[in-house]
Amino acid sequence: ELTILTLQDFIGAAFGGLFFAVTQEIWELSARLALPNIIAVSVASFLMGLSLIYFSRRRKLLSIKIFHTSMIRAAEIYIISFITSMMLITMFSTAPDFILMLKQTVIVTFPAVITAATADLLFY
């Protein structure tokens, strides 16, 4: 099932990230943001994914282990969304250097996490 979940997460993340990876506003925003801002966006996107997963699973199944499994699932979704966003940015060559590529990846990961977590809601 890991391969099915990985593919589902990849498709969800690609759907959300694709529209933002090719947007000039994202390129300009990533060039202006400092490290604390990038960290805040990264934490916010992880927490958004965790919230979507946790509350959907809590609604369907109450369990003591629900938080633990939701945290692991959120980490999976975040990592796959980050890798997918990096692939999109590399594929479209929107960043001239590595630091800017990482900044763009973190920003594009935010909508990618939301769509991947939403896909998880639909199929869970």
Side-chain angles (χ1 to χ4, degrees):
E1 275 197 73
L2 181 60
T3 56
I4 293 170
L5 284 176
T6 304
L7 182 60
Q8 170 189 312
D9 295 342
F10 174 75
I11 292 170
F15 182 74
L18 179 64
F19 301 108
F20 292 93
V22 295
T23 305
Q24 187 171 357
E25 287 83 8
I26 298 297
W27 307 340
E28 294 169 0
L29 179 65
S30 63
R32 286 183 305 198
L33 290 181
L35 182 61
N37 302 101
I38 294 297
I39 292 170
V41 169
S42 182
V43 169
S45 62
F46 178 78
L47 291 176
M48 184 70 71
L50 176 64
S51 298
L52 282 167
I53 293 166
Y54 176 75
F55 289 117
S56 72
R57 293 189 179 179
R58 183 170 180 252
R59 185 178 62 225
K60 292 183 179 181
L61 175 68
L62 290 176
S63 170
I64 295 172
K65 295 184 179 185
I66 194 91
F67 183 75
H68 178 69
T69 58
S70 296
M71 184 69 85
I72 292 171
R73 186 73 182 117
E76 279 179 46
I77 286 177
Y78 185 85
I79 291 167
I80 292 171
S81 296
F82 187 87
I83 292 168
T84 303
S85 299
M86 187 176 283
M87 287 172 46
L88 290 170
I89 289 166
T90 303
M91 185 170 53
F92 291 113
S93 296
T94 61
D97 62 10
F98 184 72
I99 298 298
L100 198 55
M101 182 186 73
L102 287 177
K103 287 181 172 184
Q104 284 182 17
T105 301
V106 169
I107 293 170
V108 173
T109 299
F110 189 81
V113 164
I114 292 172
T115 55
T118 303
D120 190 66
L121 294 174
L122 297 173
F123 298 112
Y124 177 71

